[in-house]
Each structure stands twice: as structure tokens, then as C-alpha cells.
Amino acid sequence: MKDGIRRGLSLILFSTLLFLPMGFFKVNRVLNGSVFSLWDFDFVWFLVLCAMFSTFRVHNRFISLIRTLFLMVLPSILIYVSQGYLITESFDPNVARISLGPSIYLAIVGTWVLLSTEEKGTFKIVASLLVLLALFGFGAFPMLGFYKEYINRQTTFFLELQRHLSLAVSSLLFALVPGIYLGYQSTRHPRLREWIMGFVNGFQVAPTLSMLALLMIPLASLGQSFPFLRAWGVKGVGFLPAFIVLSLYALLPITSNTYTAFKQLDPAVMDSAKALGLSSKQIFRKVSFPLALPFIITGIRIAFIQNIGNTILAGLVGGGGMGSLIFLGLAQSATDLILFGSLPVVLMALGFEVILEFTELRLKKKMGVLYDQA
Amino acid sequence: MIKLSQIRKLYDTQEALRNVDLQIEDGECVVLIGPSGCGKSSLLKSINRMIDIDAGTITFFNQDIQSLPVEQLRRKIGYCIQGVGLFPHMNVKENIAILLRILKWKEEDMDRRVDELLVMSELPLSYKTKKPHELSGGEAQRVGVCRALATDPPVLLMDEPFGALDPMTREKIQIAFRDIQQKLHKTVVFVTHDIEEAILLGDRIALMNEGQIVQLSTPEALIKDQKENFTKSFIGQDYPLMVLKRYRVRDLGLKPHSNETVTHAIDLNTNLKEALALCIKQSEPVVFKDGQETYQLKYSDIFTFIRGMQDEAAH
């Protein structure tokens, strides 16, 4: 996207603060709140004006530095000032709360769009996000419904986060070796490939939820018939069914990417390795595996990101993770709790995506396989 | 010495090689040439068992190649192909030394050998740390030849190695390769579809068509002795002129002249085709300097030389 278009887009996004709700005031957790907007505050319009002005191009280095700093803290400031609405009302500060409204979300997106036009934009976006998270962690937004949920469930939150990650990672690790092995075998035996790809595709096509339900029956009966299995955790609910389903889902990206990784190797390179008199083991170790590795890692990345999202479903079968918070929020129709469960998942997925993609790029450059894509 | 007898190769029902016999002497360069699909590449690849033949025997220094472990056989045979096939994740040194590393050479021996090969192929030593994608096509091909020669194998197989290069680079690398070959005296089997390349590099040319060797003779003998219609149409009417490229002014055995005004900037290493072109363009004689001596060259010198060459080929 061109810079001009991005500037225009963020101007529009900022201007939504003028007419869309900024947030909702709730007297307690469940009751529907009353809407408030920019015009319920005395001086916030000035802030919005500043934001809108900052979308214009400046050439002065000092001014643009000020602008960058302003944009990096703008999301935090917007959320901070929206808490001020509470002061004008009589309320019980322990239960009353603020939920953020659409215009604040849109303005935050606008900030990031605008930051992306600058040099090292991604870095600045991450920095503004970190500022927000840090302020949240230090308790700068005490009236936010989101924060109240966090205080109420601080221990559960970190426990579930840890369970979420360990479930996503362990199921991925479990799928790693079989996935790579199946992918490698499909390149060597074209006829086997049909079977292998059919097998791993089958899991991908079946809806995750129905897979969980299908697994419940055999696992439950296994656990009931064999007490020692039950002692090991073989049950229709809990960690195991979620683990199995996630592993099966992680197979396809790993297998198919491994297959392509070995398939796309330059035949001239493979031929010369063979003709030099390298044994097939040496060819695998020194040539084909190192060259395929970056593309295998692509598969692992896709599987991992997909796993982080899918692990939410583990909450349905008592497997824990952020899913249990989200489904609790859904059951209690507590919007903030739902957000509280899902936002960390989104952030985790994005964060790992960025980190892994960077690793991949480095590896591809090192292996000298990037130049034909550039 | 490599001896191929009664080689047959089938692809499905298509006969790619039909009872081919060929004997390659030590230190000679045999060029296999012919139209696409004539089986020249298949014949070459059967020697290092990159493809397996359906009938016939190949002996490599009096040993049946089927009786040798395939890795052992391939390590005695250097192999260069059109795509070069350098390992993109290794630098130039690692590429050249890959087999040496597998054979557990000492680090300093390996270094010395790599330097030696780079010097021989006229590449700067600083290239050792470069990655293949940083090299030009010609440089990559030179590195490919170095890699093939790393363990000093007695035999080289080359499958259209210079086919993808631009004409300027190709000619340079052809001449460089000819000079290397004159120094090392490897037994070379070279596949090409470029008749000029065949003339320049081959001691003998094996002309192939439809899975058979139609004619096998020296480039000079081919001027007069064209056994089949196919030969005539394939090598073309201007073939005798192309043969001139094999020779240099030096081969004419000119005697130094004195007190001449130098008219042209050529020397004894200029090939005869270019020299003849100069004679045509300028009024003869062409007077040039090589080192301290001055020489003069006339049409008649070249004609006499060709006649002598043909007589020699006839006997």
C-alpha cells in the first residue's frame, strides 16, 4: 500500500473517535452498560485533533520525532483517559467498569497503520504494543473491565496461559518426527505419497470439534476398562484427547511442507552430489536435508501458529488453556472475559509468527536458497 | 581406458542406445555430438552409472563397472553438467573440497589442493569464501570443473557443461579448458551439440544419430571423409573453416622476418580462423610482432598448412 493511502486511512480511523462510541460504562460485570463518547470529556477532542494532524506529512526531523513518540503512546493515552468517565458518575469502584468501544479500537489500528509508514515501522508498532502491555501490567488502567477480569483471575490466567502453550508446543513436538518422516517418504515413494497425503489430509478436513467428540468415546471406554491407563490420564476429557487431536492437525502442514521441501531441490544439485560419489546417507546429511530445512521450518511454523489457535478448543473438553476462559466468558456473556481469553492468543500467534519467520529468513539466506525467490 | 561394447538402453519401448561400441583411449578427449535425443547424454551417463544400461558391458581400466561399488566408481570419474549443480549452502571452498572432506583429507592438504585448482582455472583465491549465487555463470562453471577435478580422477565426463553460457564467456572457458586438458591429459568424454566446440576440444568426434554412432573420426579427417549423408548435413558446408579454429598461428611454423613495419596486433596464439579473416580484410601480408620477433603471414601459409593437415589425416 502506498504511504499516502495509509495516511488517509489512519486519518479516517482517527476521525471515528468524533462520532463512534468511545466506550461503555457498566455498573457491574453483567449488566449492559451506557454508551459514552468523546463529547462526554472536556479536553479529549484536543488529543484527537493532534492525532488527526499527525497524519500529515512533515519534513522537520524534530517534529517527526515528537510525532513518533506521540503515536507510540497514543493507544495507552486513549485507554487511560477513557477511564475518566467514571469520575463523573456515582458508582461502586469495586464492580463498576469501563469496556472499550469501537472508536478506540479503530484509532489504535489507525496508530499502527500510521506507524507502518515510518522507517522501522514494525519495530515501532511492537514498541507501542509493549508500552500498552507494560502499563496494563503495572495497573495503569484499573477501571478497565479487562483489567478487573485480570485481577480476579490473575493466577488462573498465568496457569491457563502456561497450559495453553505447553499443550500447543507438546502436541507440535509429538507430530514433528512422524510429520517429517512421512513427508520425506512421500518424496521417495510416489505411490506411497497418495496414501500418506490422503491420511494427513483426512484429519485436516474433519472439523476439529467433531474429532474431539469422536475421540471421547474410545478414550473414555479405554480408561474405564483399564484402570492403569486411567491412572496415566487416558480419559474422554482433559489433556489427552486435546493433545491427540492437535498432533493430528499439526501433521498436514509439516508433512506437506517437508514433501515440497525435498521435491523442490534442484535436480542438477542432486545429480552432482550423486555423481561425485557421495553415498545416499551422505547426500541426505550434507546436501538434501540442509537445503530442505528452511522449507521444513515453514511447515513447522504454520503448524505451530495453527496449533496456538486450535488449542482454544481444548477448553471445551477440559484440556485447559485460554479456551477455558473464553468459553466461561461466553457462558456468562461477559464480553471482557472473552476478550481477555482471546487477545493473548492473538498476540501469541502474531508474536511467534514474526519470530519464526525471521529465523526462517535468516536460515534461507544462510543456505543460499533465497536468491531464486528474490 | 574405457571400453563400451554393445550398449543398449531402453526408455519404456523407445530405444535410446542401439548396440553402441566405443573405445576411449587414455588421455584423449572424445566428443559425443548429435541432435537432441540422439542418445549422447545417455551414453555418457552410463559410464558413471547415473543411468543403468539394459545390455552390453562397460569396462573401466579393464574392470567391469558393474563389479565396482558404485560410489568407488564415481569417485574416479569427474562429472560436470550444464546446470553446474554447485551446492548453494556451501561456499566455493566447501564445494570443491566436499569429497576431500569425506575422504578425510588433512585440513592443510585440502587448502593446498583448493588453491591449486583455483589458480589452474584462473579464479582469484579470494573466491574461496563466496557463495555460488555470488558467482557469474562462467565462474560457477569453472568452480564446477574444479570440484570435478578435486580428487584428481583419471576420467572426466562433461555433459554440455558450457551450453548455458553466453558466447563470449563460453569461448573463454573453452580455451581455458583446452589448456587445462593439455596440461593434465585426462581421459575426457564430452557431450555437446555445438560443432565448433566439438572441433575445438575433441581429439576424436563421435557423431551420433538415433542411438548409434554414425561416424567416429578426428576433426581433420571429417573434412574430406564424410561417410553418410547425415554427417554432411549435420556438420555443414563451412565445416573446413571451423577446423581452422583448432590451430594457432604458432602451428604454421613461421620464420621470423626482420625490418618489417608491424601492421597488426595479433600474436602467435591467435587462432587460424581469425588470422584468415584478417588476411581477407587487409591486403596481405599481415605483419605482426610476438615478443621480440616480427613475423609475416600470407594466405598461402594457411593453405599449405591445411593441405598438409588433410594429407596427415588421410594416412
Side-chain angles (χ1 to χ4, degrees):
Chain A
M1 232 191 318
K2 278 196 181 145
D3 276 5
I5 300 175
R6 289 196 233 187
R7 283 166 197 281
L9 181 63
S10 53
L11 182 64
I12 295 171
L13 288 170
F14 285 143
S15 65
T16 56
L17 282 168
L18 300 176
F19 50 88
L20 285 181
M22 240 179 115
F24 309 94
F25 172 75
K26 297 176 177 176
V27 262
N28 61 37
R29 182 160 174 252
V30 186
L31 276 182
N32 269 337
S34 54
V35 176
F36 65 88
S37 76
L38 173 72
W39 310 110
D40 294 309
F41 299 93
D42 285 337
F43 292 109
V44 180
W45 58 267
F46 182 69
L47 191 68
V48 179
L49 211 62
C50 286
M52 289 170 75
F53 265 119
S54 70
T55 59
F56 292 103
R57 197 187 299 272
V58 280
H59 294 291
N60 187 312
R61 282 184 67 186
F62 179 69
I63 293 177
S64 69
L65 178 71
I66 299 272
R67 180 180 67 174
T68 306
L69 290 175
F70 170 69
L71 286 175
M72 289 211 291
V73 292
L74 183 63
S76 311
I77 296 177
L78 280 174
I79 294 172
Y80 185 79
V81 297
S82 66
Q83 297 177 101
Y85 182 71
L86 281 175
I87 297 166
T88 62
E89 301 268 330
S90 58
F91 62 94
D92 175 1
N94 290 322
V95 286
R97 59 196 65 206
I98 293 284
S99 286
L100 298 178
S103 66
I104 287 205
Y105 286 121
L106 291 174
I108 291 175
V109 173
T111 313
W112 290 340
V113 171
L114 196 54
L115 278 175
S116 75
T117 64
E118 296 191 11
E119 242 177 277
K120 290 189 182 162
T122 321
F123 173 74
K124 286 171 184 168
I125 292 171
V126 173
S128 77
L129 197 60
L130 288 178
V131 169
L132 195 59
L133 284 179
L135 287 174
F136 183 85
F138 288 131
F141 313 125
M143 295 308 160
L144 215 58
F146 205 75
Y147 186 74
K148 292 214 189 290
E149 297 287 355
Y150 170 69
I151 290 300
N152 287 339
R153 299 171 199 279
Q154 211 166 2
T155 34
T156 346
F157 174 75
F158 284 112
L159 184 72
E160 296 298 3
L161 193 67
Q162 191 202 331
R163 285 169 83 180
H164 194 100
L165 266 180
S166 63
L167 192 53
V169 171
S170 63
S171 57
L172 176 81
L173 289 180
F174 189 72
L176 210 57
V177 174
I180 292 175
Y181 180 76
L182 286 176
Y184 180 60
Q185 287 306 324
S186 352
T187 45
R188 287 164 54 100
H189 311 286
R191 216 176 284 163
L192 208 62
R193 189 190 150 243
E194 308 274 312
W195 288 94
I196 291 173
M197 288 299 161
F199 174 74
V200 293
N201 262 318
F203 294 121
Q204 209 69 20
V205 172
T208 333
L209 263 179
S210 58
M211 284 279 292
L212 277 173
L214 281 176
L215 265 178
M216 274 174 127
I217 305 160
L219 283 179
S221 62
L222 263 181
Q224 272 162 8
S225 342
F226 303 103
F228 71 94
L229 283 180
R230 193 173 177 77
W232 284 348
V234 177
K235 287 181 288 189
V237 292
F239 177 80
L240 193 66
F243 177 79
I244 295 175
V245 168
L246 288 173
S247 294
L248 290 177
Y249 268 77
L251 268 184
L252 176 74
I254 298 176
T255 306
S256 63
N257 271 279
T258 307
Y259 172 76
T260 353
F262 282 105
K263 207 71 198 165
Q264 53 86 40
L265 294 173
D266 183 357
V269 169
M270 300 317 290
D271 262 8
S272 11
K274 217 167 117 186
L276 275 167
L278 271 62
S279 66
S280 39
K281 247 190 215 164
Q282 286 162 339
I283 294 177
F284 182 81
R285 216 179 53 229
K286 294 203 173 239
V287 184
S288 50
F289 186 71
L291 287 178
L293 189 62
F295 299 91
I296 296 176
I297 289 182
T298 309
I300 296 173
R301 170 172 59 93
I302 296 169
F304 186 46
I305 303 304
Q306 176 192 292
N307 250 12
I308 285 182
N310 276 344
T311 305
I312 289 174
L313 290 173
L316 277 182
V317 288
M322 301 311 282
S324 39
L325 294 178
I326 296 171
F327 290 117
L328 188 67
L330 280 171
Q332 301 176 343
S333 53
T335 342
D336 285 324
L337 186 55
I338 300 172
L339 271 179
F340 182 63
S342 41
L343 271 184
V345 178
V346 175
L347 284 183
M348 262 194 297
L350 283 177
F352 281 116
E353 170 85 17
V354 169
I355 293 168
L356 288 174
E357 224 179 289
F358 180 71
T359 320
E360 227 175 276
L361 205 70
R362 289 288 296 271
L363 205 61
K364 277 182 185 166
K365 271 191 188 147
K366 199 178 155 223
M367 294 299 171
V369 287
L370 193 69
Y371 61 95
D372 47 350
Q373 296 181 327
Chain B
M1 187 179 73
I2 305 166
K3 197 170 167 186
L4 300 96
S5 45
Q6 296 294 304
I7 308 298
R8 283 188 77 207
K9 172 71 192 170
L10 299 169
Y11 288 115
D12 296 324
T13 54
Q14 189 81 23
E15 246 186 333
L17 294 172
R18 308 180 188 188
N19 307 328
V20 177
D21 288 308
L22 179 65
Q23 187 166 328
I24 301 146
E25 307 296 338
D26 291 350
E28 80 165 333
C29 177
V30 171
V31 176
L32 308 177
I33 190 168
S36 328
C38 69
K40 52 191 194 298
S41 254
S42 302
L43 191 63
L44 178 99
K45 285 179 183 158
S46 66
I47 297 174
N48 65 349
R49 291 184 58 191
M50 291 300 280
I51 62 169
D52 282 316
I53 50 175
D54 296 308
T57 50
I58 300 175
T59 58
F60 184 83
F61 296 97
N62 298 323
Q63 256 184 315
D64 190 333
I65 59 165
Q66 297 291 335
S67 68
L68 283 163
V70 65
E71 277 89 24
Q72 289 298 322
L73 174 77
R74 286 175 182 162
R75 283 174 195 184
K76 288 181 198 157
I77 302 176
Y79 185 65
C80 297
I81 49 177
Q82 181 168 12
V84 194
L86 293 180
F87 306 127
H89 57 306
M90 299 182 186
N91 64 25
V92 168
K93 186 197 159 184
E94 290 163 335
N95 260 290
I96 296 176
I98 182 165
L99 201 55
L100 307 181
R101 202 170 288 280
I102 284 171
L103 296 173
K104 300 208 164 62
W105 278 39
K106 279 192 207 133
E107 196 66 37
E108 64 260 33
D109 292 342
M110 213 148 63
D111 269 328
R112 199 177 314 123
R113 181 69 184 144
V114 171
D115 289 359
E116 203 177 286
L117 287 162
L118 286 175
V119 169
M120 185 189 73
S121 50
E122 291 160 8
L123 287 170
L125 293 182
S126 59
Y127 274 38
K128 278 195 281 191
T129 50
K130 283 204 178 192
K131 286 280 179 77
H133 66 92
E134 297 171 278
L135 304 175
S136 71
E139 288 164 349
Q141 195 51 263
R142 280 167 200 255
V143 174
V145 174
C146 288
R147 184 176 64 179
L149 288 171
T151 54
D152 203 15
V155 176
L156 261 185
L157 303 182
M158 308 187 82
D159 193 353
E160 298 197 32
F162 313 138
L165 305 176
D166 63 273
M168 286 270 284
T169 318
R170 193 188 314 161
E171 197 166 322
K172 248 189 229 161
I173 202 171
Q174 280 166 350
I175 288 166
F177 176 72
R178 188 182 63 175
D179 293 346
I180 292 173
Q181 165 64 4
Q182 276 166 3
K183 245 182 274 166
L184 302 181
H185 291 293
K186 299 282 174 200
T187 307
V188 182
V189 185
F190 196 107
V191 163
T192 183
H193 57 252
D194 175 2
I195 186 79
E196 285 202 56
E197 187 169 72
I199 294 165
L200 189 67
L201 302 177
D203 295 316
R204 284 192 295 161
I205 296 178
L207 192 60
M208 291 185 70
N209 191 29
E210 295 175 343
Q212 283 175 316
I213 294 181
V214 179
Q215 186 162 3
L216 176 65
S217 44
T218 62
E220 292 79 12
L222 261 180
I223 296 175
K224 279 236 163 128
D225 178 26
Q226 301 167 1
K227 286 190 184 106
E228 312 256 347
N229 280 335
F230 173 76
T231 312
K232 269 181 207 151
S233 64
F234 188 83
I235 66 178
Q237 294 296 334
D238 57 344
Y239 178 83
L241 280 179
M242 291 195 262
V243 177
L244 281 179
K245 230 178 166 178
R246 263 174 84 77
Y247 297 94
R248 296 170 181 188
V249 176
R250 185 188 304 280
D251 300 322
L252 296 175
L254 296 174
K255 293 271 163 8
H257 275 242
S258 51
N259 300 328
E260 297 267 11
T261 335
V262 174
T263 55
H264 291 94
I266 61 170
D267 58 30
L268 290 178
N269 283 325
T270 309
N271 71 55
L272 280 189
K273 195 180 174 190
E274 261 176 56
L276 181 64
L278 259 183
C279 288
I280 295 167
K281 209 161 86 182
Q282 307 290 331
S283 54
E284 54 172 353
V286 171
V287 181
F288 63 93
K289 214 172 170 180
D290 187 278
Q292 292 304 310
E293 307 285 0
T294 315
Y295 300 89
Q296 74 170 26
L297 169 70
K298 293 185 193 144
Y299 275 128
S300 53
D301 296 322
I302 300 174
F303 292 144
T304 323
F305 179 76
I306 296 172
R307 197 138 308 137
M309 191 178 74
Q310 276 175 315
D311 291 343
E312 204 177 304
H315 291 129

